[in-house]
Amino acid sequence: MLARIRSLFPVTREKIYFNHASNGPLSRPARQALIEDLRLYSRQADYDLPEYFRRLEKARTTVASLVGANPEEITFTPSTSYGVFVALCNLNLERGDRLLVMDEVFPTVRCCVDQNYPHVDRRYVKFGGRDPIDAVRGHLTRKTRAVVVDWVNFFTGEVLDLDRLGKYLASRRVKFVVDGMQGLGALKIDVRKTPVDFMAGGGNKWLFSTQGIGYLYVNRKNFRDLKRTPTGWLGLDWPNFDSYKKMPPIRNDARRFEMGTRNALGAHALTINIGILEKFGLDRVEAKIQEVKSSLRRGLTELGYEILTPANGRQSGIITARPKGDPAMLYKLLTANRVVLSLRNQALRFSPHFYNNAAEARKVIAILEDAG
Ligand SMILES: Cc1ncc(COP(=O)(O)O)c(C=O)c1O
């Protein structure tokens, strides 16, 4: 089974690919499908219209089923940032309203908040290593509209307990906005049990898709309060495209945020790759990643590296460690040995996925050990 899964990802033949927190490689079936799509595009410019919609709706259903949502709770976006922006627009923020933001977020959330909402009372609070309820409790006021967080810390890999915080915030009627980019695909979530109001992410890391396709989950509880922005002509509920004389009504769900023509090729890749993950089973994906990560943790600890990823709590796909020696030199050495990873803040960030194995982890450790 694992050999078959590895054969679906050609990158495994050439490299030890531990860099899914940056980008995930396209699977072989997705590549094949995209090549066929491009052939078709060069012959006739696009899918036939019914096929275009069929593909989009298939992708929507697939993303919805991955998170436990209904299809109309999913809207496609070009990136995580766009999804976070749509969520913030729909919090109906007014001057003086408070937003609590996780201090450790990747710049996606920070820039969306600071650049687009300079007039609101933005409070950054540290979550690292803390119980999430303790982190927010002292900062909640009557004016607090939402808490905005990253599900998984892009640097340390620490996983936020969305379930615990989501339930607490729901009981306080405070909205919960999540950047799920470093979580979904490596970790399982069921939004029927874990209350989140908005969760945005992109397809190009843990979901192995192309860049330019992302998702925003909008909990249907929010449909009644959704604003009409941002939207455009494809946010309207067109019965057909035979005439443009009369404008149909705007959709009353997450799909209203699809402003214009969508990335159908990216959506196609997303459908195929999520299909691969679902077939393997998200529980098993999580367990497989942990196997590799444990092996890395053991080896790096023995080498005397400072492990920056907490050992307790749920584990993401990221493990980051600071070596005693020169991190840039070790990064170069690993890269020269066809190990793909990231150098972040003077530390080595490894991010394996479900098709990686402990033998690859041991090989990485052996290279680092040789370096002394
Ligand atoms: C937590 C997190 N969110 C979002 C992104 C990317 O955001 P976007 O899809 O808007 O480029 C990254 C990394 O690139 C990330 O680590």
Side-chain angles (χ1 to χ4, degrees):
M1 176 72 168
L2 284 175
R4 205 188 66 78
I5 290 291
R6 282 176 76 80
S7 77
L8 297 182
F9 291 88
V11 74
T12 57
R13 264 187 266 128
E14 294 157 22
K15 293 172 181 150
I16 297 182
Y17 195 88
F18 283 172
N19 206 24
H20 299 86
S22 280
N23 266 304
L26 202 61
S27 68
R28 193 155 46 85
R31 183 186 65 183
Q32 198 50 42
L34 290 189
I35 290 170
E36 279 157 29
D37 287 349
L38 290 176
R39 273 201 201 107
L40 185 118
Y41 268 56
S42 64
R43 280 203 310 271
Q44 63 173 53
D46 194 355
Y47 301 119
D48 295 325
L49 205 55
E51 183 62 11
Y52 171 84
F53 283 106
R54 203 187 66 73
R55 302 240 169 175
L56 278 174
E57 293 324 306
K58 176 86 178 123
R60 195 188 307 283
T61 312
T62 305
V63 174
S65 111
L66 181 66
V67 301
N70 296 315
E72 64 277 12
E73 292 175 299
I74 302 295
T75 192
F76 292 116
T77 64
S79 63
T80 317
S81 299
Y82 191 85
V84 171
F85 174 69
V86 173
L88 295 180
C89 284
N90 281 274
L91 294 175
N92 299 312
L93 296 169
E94 288 171 10
R95 194 172 293 277
D97 281 348
R98 178 174 282 192
L99 269 187
L100 280 189
V101 185
M102 175 190 263
D103 193 47
E104 297 89 343
V105 285
F106 184 78
T108 292
V109 162
R110 188 176 287 271
C111 293
C112 254
V113 168
D114 290 352
Q115 301 301 326
N116 298 299
Y117 289 90
H119 56 282
V120 306
D121 173 18
R122 292 160 283 130
R123 296 289 162 112
Y124 283 90
V125 292
K126 291 216 182 299
F127 277 71
R130 302 179 66 188
D131 177 282
I133 296 179
D134 289 345
V136 300
R137 202 190 328 252
H139 302 277
L140 294 178
T141 59
R142 261 189 323 107
K143 290 270 190 184
T144 308
R145 293 283 161 266
V147 172
V148 192
V149 298
D150 282 1
W151 182 7
V152 171
N153 183 300
F154 72 98
F155 177 56
T156 65
E158 182 171 0
V159 181
L160 182 74
D161 186 342
L162 295 184
D163 204 52
R164 184 163 161 69
L165 185 55
K167 284 178 180 143
Y168 177 72
L169 295 177
S171 74
R172 307 290 297 257
R173 296 175 180 278
V174 173
K175 300 284 182 205
F176 193 24
V177 180
V178 177
D179 173 342
M181 178 57 134
Q182 295 289 7
L184 195 64
L187 298 178
K188 194 172 168 176
I189 186 168
D190 183 344
V191 292
R192 286 167 297 204
K193 296 186 190 133
T194 299
V196 164
D197 289 288
F198 299 90
M199 184 169 81
N204 55 303
K205 295 187 193 284
W206 300 93
L207 299 172
F208 312 109
S209 292
T210 63
Q211 294 164 350
I213 184 77
Y215 60 86
L216 171 69
Y217 157 72
V218 180
N219 186 322
R220 59 184 314 114
K221 276 196 322 213
N222 294 292
F223 284 177
R224 222 190 27 208
D225 304 321
L226 294 182
K227 293 210 304 189
R228 302 174 79 89
T229 51
T231 194
W233 76 289
L234 286 176
L236 308 185
D237 194 3
W238 294 91
N240 58 57
F241 296 99
D242 299 342
S243 160
Y244 297 117
K245 284 214 175 92
K246 195 166 162 259
M247 293 295 122
I250 186 166
R251 288 184 189 277
N252 196 24
D253 55 44
R255 296 171 298 175
R256 66 166 45 184
F257 300 122
E258 286 169 20
M259 297 188 78
T261 305
R262 287 141 298 187
N263 177 357
L265 298 188
H268 192 190
L270 202 55
T271 302
I272 293 171
N273 294 327
I274 293 177
I276 294 172
L277 287 172
E278 293 257 42
K279 194 158 175 214
F280 192 78
L282 263 294
D283 287 326
R284 287 179 69 210
V285 166
E286 214 170 313
K288 275 297 300 169
I289 293 174
Q290 288 338 302
E291 219 176 285
V292 183
K293 213 172 125 170
S294 301
S295 185
L296 282 170
R297 183 183 287 277
R298 213 174 311 118
L300 294 167
T301 306
E302 279 167 18
L303 290 176
Y305 283 31
E306 180 196 357
I307 311 287
L308 304 176
T309 304
N312 54 349
R314 193 175 179 191
Q315 293 293 310
S316 69
I318 296 173
I319 176 159
T320 305
R322 197 163 274 143
K324 286 199 200 120
D326 177 5
M329 187 278 284
L330 293 169
Y331 171 76
K332 263 199 202 144
L333 175 73
L334 287 171
T335 306
N337 281 277
R338 300 189 189 190
V339 180
V340 188
L341 74 159
S342 293
L343 181 64
R344 292 274 184 278
N345 304 334
Q346 299 292 304
L348 303 177
R349 183 183 72 178
F350 303 92
S351 47
H353 213 320
F354 75 123
Y355 52 70
N356 290 118
N357 57 40
E360 290 176 311
R362 285 194 294 273
K363 189 154 177 228
V364 167
I365 299 299
I367 297 168
L368 293 172
E369 198 169 7
D370 280 352

